[in-house]
Amino acid sequence: MLPNPVARSATTGLRVDVASGRLLSARQVDSPNCDERPVGQAPELVVVHGISLPPGEFGGPWIEALFTNALPPAAHPYFETIAGLRVSSHLLVRRDGTLVQFVPFHRRAWHAGDSRWRGRERCNDYSIGIELEGTDASVYTPAQYQSLSGAIAALCRAYPGLSPERVVGHSDIAPGRKTDPGIAFDWPLLRTRLQLHLELDPP
Ligand SMILES: [Zn+2]
């Protein structure tokens, strides 16, 4: 089955343009931290993450700075420890639900690190990474669940290899090493919202 050329979520209006690999309503900020997926590899997994910079602080410009290799090490003691990282995600969901895209979906973003899902290593090869601005223990906002579920529904429509069963947390694919999106993340709420989107507007 070929991907839908423009896959749309009826409930949120979110659409993925498969040719460009862009979520059309997301703000686009290109990250250099990406490369090609293995030949012929389409997205088959969504990995949900949590991030805040500095840890526990929301709303600053620092996540975008990290993903564009522009984090000033002197701006915060924590930044000195991560300023050399070369990382990215495909999407970031800010606390107000705003979506920012750093890497086209058909390209490989660098978010999972050493990882394994159902026996398959190197999850970056075949996954889409979505960062939620937050911490493991602070409640994620309703706007974030709305944007996240709408974006994943649009991705499921765009890429036949994706489905609600193929959405995991970073902690699921790197257990013992990663804990995000954390105990605060409401998986049943995400799955209920996602199911609703897909029932209202099936792939
Ligand atoms: Zn993560």
Side-chain angles (χ1 to χ4, degrees):
M1 187 166 77
L2 292 171
N4 299 323
V6 175
R8 184 174 182 280
S9 163
T11 44
T12 62
L14 295 179
R15 292 186 302 154
V16 171
D17 177 62
V18 170
S20 65
R22 306 282 184 178
L23 187 64
L24 294 180
S25 45
R27 191 160 60 83
Q28 301 291 328
V29 177
D30 284 342
S31 171
N33 303 332
C34 63
D35 54 10
E36 296 299 321
R37 296 185 188 276
V39 174
Q41 179 65 65
E44 294 182 8
L45 182 69
V46 172
V47 180
V48 177
H49 300 259
I51 189 173
S52 56
L53 289 177
E57 293 185 23
F58 304 147
W62 308 120
I63 301 170
E64 287 181 28
L66 177 65
F67 289 171
T68 54
N69 303 337
L71 192 68
H76 188 278
Y78 181 72
F79 295 171
E80 290 175 21
T81 68
I82 61 164
L85 289 180
R86 294 289 176 265
V87 292
S88 62
S89 66
H90 291 92
L91 292 176
L92 167 66
V93 186
R94 306 300 304 248
R95 299 294 290 179
D96 66 358
T98 300
L99 288 153
V100 186
Q101 181 166 8
F102 298 92
V103 176
F105 299 120
H106 56 268
R107 287 177 63 78
R108 178 169 57 189
W110 302 345
H111 57 97
D114 186 16
S115 52
R116 178 190 295 257
W117 179 69
R118 296 184 181 171
R120 292 173 70 189
E121 297 187 332
R122 295 185 302 279
C123 294
N124 283 342
D125 285 358
Y126 55 90
S127 70
I128 288 171
I130 305 180
E131 294 276 4
L132 297 171
E133 186 177 23
T135 72
D136 284 8
S138 48
V139 173
Y140 292 92
T141 70
Q144 286 182 302
Y145 286 101
Q146 181 67 16
S147 292
L148 177 64
S149 60
I152 295 174
L155 288 165
C156 287
R157 284 190 197 87
Y159 301 104
L162 294 177
S163 68
E165 295 73 36
R166 289 168 173 255
V167 180
V168 300
H170 199 185
S171 54
D172 296 316
I173 60 166
R177 192 174 68 83
K178 293 291 179 181
T179 58
D180 59 307
I183 55 170
F185 188 73
D186 190 339
W187 283 103
L189 177 57
L190 172 66
R191 298 208 185 278
T192 301
R193 289 286 179 83
L194 186 51
Q195 207 59 50
L196 191 62
H197 286 302
L198 293 172
E199 280 170 12
L200 289 169
D201 189 9

